[in-house]
Amino acid sequence: MLHMNDITYRIEGRLILDKATAGIPSGHKVGLIGRNGTGKTTLLRIVAGELHPDDGGITTAKGHRIGYVQQEAPGGPVSLIDWVLSADTERARLLAESDTATDGERIAEIHMRLSDMGAHAAPSRAATILAGLGFDEAAQAKPCSDFSGGWRMRVALAAVLFLEPELLLLDEPTNYLDLEGTLWLESYLKSYPHTVLMVSHDRDLLNRAVTAILHLDRGKLTFYTGGYDAFENARRERQQLDLKLKKKQDDHRRHMQAFVDRFRYKASKARQAQSRLKAIERMQPIADVIEDRVVPFHFPTPAKTFGNPIIRLDDAQAGYVAGRPVLRDLNLRIDQDDRIGLLGQNGNGKSTLAKLVAGRMPLMAGKRFGSEKLIVGFFAQHQMEDLPEGMTPYDHMLELMPDNTIAERRARLGVYGFGADKADTKADHLSGGEKARLLFALATFHKPHLLILDEPTNHLDVNSREALIMALNAYEGAVILISHDRHLIEATVDRLWLVRGGTVENYEGDIDEYRRELIDQRSGRNRGKQRAGAAGAPAARADQRREEAQRRAGNAPLKRAVDAAEQKLAKLNAEIAALDKLLADPSLYSREPDRAKAVSRDRGQLLKKREEAEEAWLKASEAFEATTAET
C-alpha cells in the first residue's frame, strides 16, 4: 500500500502540491496524469525519496523496495545484459560470496537463498526484458557506451523492470520506445505482480495497462478506478454534478441574501435575518469548473498544389556507408492527400526513409521524382536538443520574418501559443511541450506540401495530443508519421508502411493486427495466420482511404474560412496592440490631445470589428468541427 498524506511542495515559492492526499492499494497499476507542469514528476521523485515535501509524508509497506528509472543513462564498457543483472545487488553479492566462501554451512545458505530468488533463471529473464525493449542477442552483449542516450535509457528501464520492485515508478516510459517496445511494455505491465505508479500521456497505454487513474490538478490528487476513458467519463459526470450543485447553491445564497437585505433592520425579522446571515457565512462554496484552455495547433494550407504523385521512389537504395544500404528495393509513391504511418522497430530504417523522402540524404541507387518547388516540413524530437539555448521564439520568428513588423511576428507566434511572456523566453527555459510547439511553428512556417513527423508527442500531454490530432486531420497536405502513440496513428493515418528486412512495403492490416502479429512472433506462433485474416481487406481499406480523401476535400472550404477568420483576428489584435502602446504614453494626452482622442476612437472601432470577427470565427469553427465530428 502506498499512501500520500497531505503532501505540500513549493518550487521557488510557487505551490506545486497543496495538501495532496491519495492511497493506492497493493497490486494496483495506476496512471498518474495531469497537464504539463502540474508536478507529476515532482510527485514521483517525492515518492522515490529523491525530494522531500515541505509538509506531509509518504507511507509504504515495510520492507517494500521502490524502483525508479534514473535520469542518467548507463554508460561505460559494461555489456547491456551485465548492467541489467547488476541491478539485483543481493544476487550479485551472493554470487560473489559463493566464489570465495569456505564454510560449508554458509555455502548451503547462499545457494538456498539463490535458489529461492530464482537467481539461476535471472540471465534468461534479463534477456527477455531486453529483447522486449528492442535489443537482440548480439546487442545485449555489446557495451553500453556503444549506444545513444535514448537506447541507454531503455537499458535503465530494463534494469528497473528486472529488479521487479514492490513499488514500480515510471515517468513517461514510452518516450524512448518505438511502437513495438510500447506494445511489449503494455503487455508486461498488465502481468506485473506488484504495484505500479506511472506518469504517461499515452491514451492506449492508460486504457490497457492500468487499473486506476490518479489525477493531479491544481495541487490536488483525485483517484478514479478504471482506465483513461473511464476517468474521462467519471470526471465529466462529476463536473456536471458540481455545476448543478453550484447553481443550486448560488440560487439558495441569493434567496437568503435577499431576505437579509430586506429584513435585517426590521425588529420582528432581525433574528431570522441574522440566522440566515450566519448560514451564508457557513456555506462552503463549490468551486467553478475551470478548464485550462489548450492552445490549438495550426498547420497552414500549402500555397500551391501539385499533381499526384508528389514524390515517387523507383528501385531506390539509401544508407550511410557505401555498399551497405540500410534500405533497398524502394518502389513507393506519395500523393498529396496521403496520411502514412510508418511501422517497424527502431533501427530498421524509419528515420532513414523519412530523410530520404524529405530530400535530406542522397540515393545510393535508383531514382527519386518530385518537384524542386515541393516544400517538406520536418519535425524530429532530436531537433529539440539543437535549438540554440540563447534564442527566444521571437528571435526565430525575426529570422523568418525580417521584413515584417513586430506586431506581425508576435501575432504569428500567438497562433502557436506563445504570448508576450513565452515569446521572449530563451529556449533553455522553455518546457518540453513549449519546445515542441516551437518546432511545429518552424517546421510548418513555409506552408509545406508534405509534413514528416518523427515522434511528435513525447512532450505533449493528453489534451495537447488531441489538439494535434485535430490539426493533422484539418491539414490539407500529405503526412508521414512515425510514432509510438497508437491513438495518434489510428486517428490520423489512412495507410501503413512497414519498414522491415531492409525494405518498405504496404501493410494491409491495422494496428491491432500488427500488435497480434508481434505477439505471435514473440510466442513462436505462425505469423501467416494474421496475414491471412487481412487478405480480404485491401479493397475495403482502399475504399475507406478514398472516402477519407473525399471528406478532406469537402472540408477544405470550411477549413479555409476558419483560417481566414483566424488571420483577420490576428491582424485586428496586432492593430489594437499597437494603439494600446500609443495610449499607454501619458505624454500623448498633454502633447497631442486631438490625436489621443482620434486613437481612442479608432481603438473603439477596432474592438467592434474584433467582436464581429470573433463571431465569424466562432461560426466558421463550429461548422468545420461539425463536419469533422460527423466522420
Side-chain angles (χ1 to χ4, degrees):
M1 169 96 186
L2 167 66
H3 201 87
M4 291 162 270
N5 310 290
D6 290 330
I7 297 175
T8 299
Y9 190 81
R10 293 176 175 83
I11 297 178
E12 296 181 354
R14 184 167 69 94
L15 187 62
I16 302 297
L17 301 171
D18 182 14
K19 295 187 179 298
T21 299
I24 298 176
S26 295
H28 271 53
K29 284 83 173 177
V30 179
L32 176 58
I33 69 171
R35 297 293 297 276
N36 285 342
T38 54
K40 302 183 295 297
T41 297
T42 298
L43 182 60
L44 278 192
R45 294 182 65 190
I46 289 174
V47 173
E50 291 187 357
L51 296 175
H52 299 285
D54 299 332
D55 197 10
I58 300 292
T59 303
T60 58
K62 187 176 181 180
H64 276 195
R65 297 169 300 169
I66 298 176
Y68 184 50
V69 179
Q70 300 299 315
Q71 296 301 312
E72 292 187 9
V78 181
S79 70
L80 305 191
I81 189 74
D82 287 340
W83 175 273
V84 173
L85 288 170
S86 69
D88 191 340
T89 54
E90 183 185 7
R91 174 183 175 276
R93 177 176 55 79
L94 289 174
L95 287 174
E97 187 179 353
S98 68
D99 291 337
T100 57
T102 55
D103 181 73
E105 187 173 335
R106 177 55 184 161
I107 292 174
E109 290 176 355
I110 291 172
H111 285 284
M112 184 174 295
R113 176 56 185 154
L114 287 171
S115 177
D116 289 344
M117 64 192 303
H120 300 295
S124 174
R125 189 161 62 88
T128 300
I129 292 172
L130 282 168
L133 294 177
F135 298 100
D136 60 21
E137 186 175 354
Q140 293 175 23
K142 292 181 179 179
C144 294
S145 57
D146 280 7
F147 296 88
S148 65
W151 284 94
R152 281 186 279 148
M153 286 305 300
R154 292 193 190 199
V155 180
L157 173 61
V160 171
L161 297 180
F162 170 75
L163 190 59
E164 209 169 82
E166 286 78 12
L167 176 57
L168 176 62
L169 305 178
L170 300 175
D171 191 356
E172 289 285 6
T174 60
N175 272 6
Y176 302 101
L177 302 181
D178 52 17
L179 177 61
E180 291 71 17
T182 299
L183 293 171
W184 177 86
L185 180 65
E186 173 196 301
S187 177
Y188 184 88
L189 292 178
K190 285 170 70 174
S191 60
Y192 191 73
H194 304 302
T195 307
V196 178
L197 179 60
M198 172 177 63
V199 173
S200 179
H201 297 300
D202 188 320
R203 191 175 188 132
D204 282 297
L205 186 65
L206 291 171
N207 272 324
R208 295 173 181 266
V210 306
T211 57
I213 295 291
L214 190 61
H215 185 217
L216 177 57
D217 184 41
R218 294 176 179 82
K220 303 291 187 182
L221 289 169
T222 308
F223 189 87
Y224 297 83
T225 57
Y228 184 83
D229 288 346
F231 152 75
E232 281 279 23
N233 292 332
R235 184 173 180 239
R236 193 175 298 114
E237 292 173 1
R238 183 172 180 172
Q239 288 176 340
Q240 290 173 350
L241 179 61
D242 284 348
L243 286 173
K244 290 178 182 178
L245 291 174
K246 185 178 188 305
K247 184 178 183 303
K248 186 175 181 180
Q249 185 188 75
D250 289 344
D251 290 342
H252 188 41
R253 184 192 298 273
R254 280 194 296 269
H255 179 74
M256 288 194 296
Q257 188 65 49
F259 183 93
V260 170
D261 294 341
R262 183 177 180 185
F263 296 114
R264 68 189 306 172
Y265 299 114
K266 189 173 182 179
S268 61
K269 299 286 188 179
R271 181 172 295 178
Q272 295 177 41
Q274 192 66 25
S275 175
R276 282 169 171 75
L277 189 61
K278 290 180 180 179
I280 292 173
E281 293 172 353
R282 289 194 302 269
M283 196 178 291
Q284 292 293 325
I286 298 172
D288 281 311
V289 175
I290 302 173
E291 286 290 344
D292 293 332
R293 179 176 177 270
V294 177
V295 178
F297 291 93
H298 173 76
F299 300 148
T301 300
K304 178 184 178 181
T305 58
F306 295 94
N308 288 326
I310 57 173
I311 294 177
R312 192 175 87 238
L313 298 175
D314 288 352
D315 296 323
Q317 290 186 9
Y320 305 93
V321 179
R324 294 171 55 188
V326 175
L327 298 172
R328 60 187 179 278
D329 301 326
L330 300 179
N331 292 284
L332 306 167
R333 64 176 281 162
I334 301 170
D335 292 345
Q336 60 185 353
D337 63 346
D338 270 340
R339 300 288 196 278
I340 300 169
L342 299 188
L343 304 177
Q345 292 183 333
N346 279 357
N348 280 4
K350 296 193 298 292
S351 294
T352 300
L353 177 64
K355 293 175 185 175
L356 182 63
V357 170
R360 296 192 171 197
M361 65 182 301
L363 289 173
M364 284 183 167
K367 293 182 179 180
R368 176 188 183 275
F369 297 94
S371 171
E372 292 181 357
K373 296 182 179 180
L374 185 79
I375 301 172
V376 179
F378 200 101
F379 177 104
Q381 279 297 323
H382 68 81
Q383 294 172 333
M384 294 178 64
E385 301 171 4
D386 298 331
L387 285 172
E389 294 184 355
M391 286 186 68
T392 68
Y394 182 82
D395 293 332
H396 285 282
M397 210 51 58
L398 178 61
E399 286 187 350
L400 293 169
M401 305 172 66
D403 299 325
N404 295 75
T405 66
I406 294 174
E408 287 171 336
R409 296 184 198 112
R410 292 194 178 278
R412 187 65 175 262
L413 286 168
V415 170
Y416 286 90
F418 292 97
D421 53 341
K422 294 299 182 181
D424 297 318
T425 301
K426 293 181 179 180
D428 48 326
H429 293 148
L430 294 174
S431 68
E434 289 162 349
K435 288 181 180 178
R437 284 186 174 273
L438 178 57
L439 286 180
F440 278 120
L442 300 178
T444 61
F445 180 84
H446 295 293
K447 302 181 179 180
H449 305 92
L450 168 64
L451 193 55
I452 300 176
L453 305 179
D454 190 350
E455 294 294 354
T457 61
N458 278 0
H459 296 278
L460 300 180
D461 58 33
V462 176
N463 293 332
S464 294
R465 293 182 185 205
E466 292 299 322
L468 177 60
I469 287 171
M470 292 183 65
L472 287 175
N473 286 334
Y475 174 58
E476 295 181 30
V479 175
I480 293 179
L481 178 64
I482 304 171
S483 179
H484 64 262
D485 189 325
R486 279 167 292 165
H487 179 60
L488 177 67
I489 294 174
E490 290 171 341
T492 58
V493 309
D494 306 326
R495 303 172 59 191
L496 293 172
W497 285 355
L498 178 58
V499 184
R500 182 172 58 186
T503 191
V504 182
E505 59 185 11
N506 279 309
Y507 186 81
E508 297 296 348
D510 58 20
I511 293 295
D512 285 336
E513 291 175 62
Y514 184 62
R515 177 177 179 273
R516 289 194 295 271
E517 182 178 312
L518 290 174
I519 293 172
D520 284 350
Q521 285 178 351
R522 285 170 181 149
S523 61
R525 292 198 298 266
N526 185 357
R527 289 182 294 132
K529 296 179 182 178
Q530 301 301 327
R531 289 301 183 103
R541 290 194 180 89
D543 291 340
Q544 182 181 359
R545 290 195 292 271
R546 280 194 293 271
E547 291 174 3
E548 287 289 326
Q550 291 168 359
R551 176 182 64 79
R552 285 194 294 272
N555 289 347
L558 296 174
K559 177 61 170 55
R560 285 194 289 271
V562 173
D563 290 344
E566 288 178 346
Q567 290 171 8
K568 187 173 182 179
L569 265 177
K571 182 179 178 182
L572 288 170
N573 283 329
E575 292 175 354
I576 291 170
L579 295 185
D580 285 341
K581 188 175 181 180
L582 282 174
L583 293 172
D585 182 8
S587 65
L588 177 66
Y589 300 89
S590 58
R591 189 179 69 251
E592 298 178 86
D594 291 338
R595 188 187 178 199
K597 290 180 182 179
V599 171
S600 297
R601 185 171 59 250
D602 292 343
R603 185 180 185 278
Q605 293 173 352
L606 286 175
L607 288 175
K608 290 181 180 179
K609 289 182 180 180
R610 185 170 69 178
E611 289 181 6
E612 295 170 358
E614 287 174 343
E615 184 66 24
W617 172 81
L618 183 61
K619 289 180 179 178
S621 298
E622 288 174 347
F624 177 72
E625 289 171 4
T627 60
T628 55
E630 290 172 0
T631 60

